[in-house]
Amino acid sequence: MEKPIIIPFDKVPGFPLPSVIGHKGNVIFGWLGGKYCICLQGRFHPYEHNMDMALCTMPVRLMAMMGVKTLIASNAAGGVNSDLNIGDLMILKDHIFMPGLIGFSPLVGLNDPRFGNRFVSMQNAYDQKLRQKAFVLAKNFGISIKEGVYLMNAGPHYETTAEVSLAAKLGADAVGMSTCHEVMVARQLGLRCFAFSLITNCSSLDLDNPLDISHSDVLEIGRKISEKASEWIAQLIDNLDND
Ligand code: HPA
């Protein structure tokens, strides 16, 4: 970002500290792709905060209150679809929000109309125009890009082989532990949403051939791809309509 103003999470009233290694915990204001942006270096996963969805989505509501119109979210995910390889980027076409389906939706509880309507459509949650733009840009950029459905589990454990099979049967291409709660709140606020996963590991569907996953592997793959992904997203921001 150009002319960045970096504010650590612990200087922002009400912000909890991120506990996940690799999440730096800064809010950064600055110019990116010709637009004034806010970047969060870190996010709040429900498993870190006793499934407190209002707390975990608060930064999205705060950014919307500050005038943000588009949310771009990234995550690390395990590939379920065998077409996905480690190091691929996957644009989210849609999601399956497992905690949300069983009552851990950030919209549960009394509705505060400042944040939007009681009942929220989640159709076209991931803006089609943005997805198409991002796909073309990524191809031109030589990025190994795919599209798919992301399934959010609560974590913090990785899935068993049988759970990965379940995710595949439900129509998921990749599994992770974030993003859906943030996108849901963003849609309630009327923000345009775009999200992509970095495939950091491939999950096994074969009970007799399990594949182990470690957080350090996830971080390592993330480091390798981050520069290219950042340039891609800067180009996407550059190409955003000003409406
Ligand atoms: N499962 C859930 N979350 C993840 C994974 C995974 O396989 N990889 C990175 N985040």
Side-chain angles (χ1 to χ4, degrees):
M1 292 181 97
E2 288 163 37
K3 299 189 187 158
I5 300 169
I6 303 174
I7 304 175
F9 281 3
D10 63 6
K11 295 280 183 296
V12 185
F15 260 49
L17 290 185
S19 66
V20 179
I21 294 168
H23 287 242
K24 289 187 181 152
N26 293 312
V27 186
I28 310 182
F29 296 83
W31 291 92
L32 185 63
K35 304 218 166 35
Y36 202 67
C37 298
I38 308 175
C39 284
L40 290 187
Q41 277 186 316
R43 57 149 58 91
F44 306 124
H45 302 86
Y47 63 76
E48 294 175 271
H49 301 288
N50 298 317
M51 302 303 284
D52 183 341
M53 292 291 182
L55 180 67
C56 291
T57 52
M58 176 265 288
V60 177
R61 288 179 166 152
L62 188 64
M63 289 189 289
M65 296 291 120
M66 288 192 279
V68 163
K69 298 278 179 267
T70 305
L71 176 75
I72 299 178
S74 64
N75 60 55
V80 171
N81 185 326
S82 56
D83 287 347
L84 291 169
N85 301 306
I86 292 177
D88 280 351
L89 292 178
M90 184 190 91
I91 293 172
L92 272 66
K93 287 185 87 154
D94 206 348
H95 74 217
I96 302 171
F97 180 19
M98 295 299 265
L101 291 176
I102 56 154
F104 290 100
S105 160
L107 310 189
V108 158
L110 280 179
N111 190 52
D112 185 333
R114 287 176 300 174
F115 301 137
N117 294 333
R118 167 83 287 183
F119 300 105
V120 177
S121 170
M122 289 301 290
Q123 298 289 306
N124 195 30
Y126 298 86
D127 187 86
Q128 197 171 9
K129 260 169 73 182
L130 279 183
R131 285 194 272 125
Q132 284 164 352
K133 243 178 219 178
F135 194 85
V136 173
L137 281 174
K139 283 267 177 213
N140 293 344
F141 228 55
I143 288 177
S144 177
I145 191 77
K146 308 267 168 63
E147 285 186 301
V149 173
Y150 172 86
L151 181 144
M152 174 181 171
N153 283 319
H157 50 276
Y158 295 114
E159 295 72 19
T160 64
T161 308
E163 285 163 352
V164 175
S165 296
L166 174 68
K169 287 190 185 100
L170 292 177
D173 297 293
V175 285
M177 305 175 196
S178 68
T179 306
C180 300
H181 56 305
E182 297 152 346
V183 166
M184 182 167 277
V185 158
R187 290 305 298 145
Q188 187 189 34
L189 288 154
L191 269 59
R192 263 187 318 184
C193 295
F194 174 78
F196 66 97
S197 298
L198 167 63
I199 304 302
T200 54
N201 55 282
C202 291
S203 309
S204 172
L205 292 170
D206 181 354
L207 283 169
D208 293 320
N209 284 298
L211 282 173
D212 220 3
I213 311 168
S214 78
H215 185 56
S216 55
D217 292 348
V218 169
L219 288 178
E220 180 55 27
I221 304 290
R223 264 190 290 275
K224 281 192 183 144
I225 199 86
S226 65
E227 204 167 314
K228 210 155 197 194
S230 302
E231 286 174 39
W232 169 52
I233 292 303
Q235 284 209 359
L236 179 65
I237 293 171
D238 197 16
N239 276 270
L240 284 180
D241 303 332
N242 280 320
D243 52 8

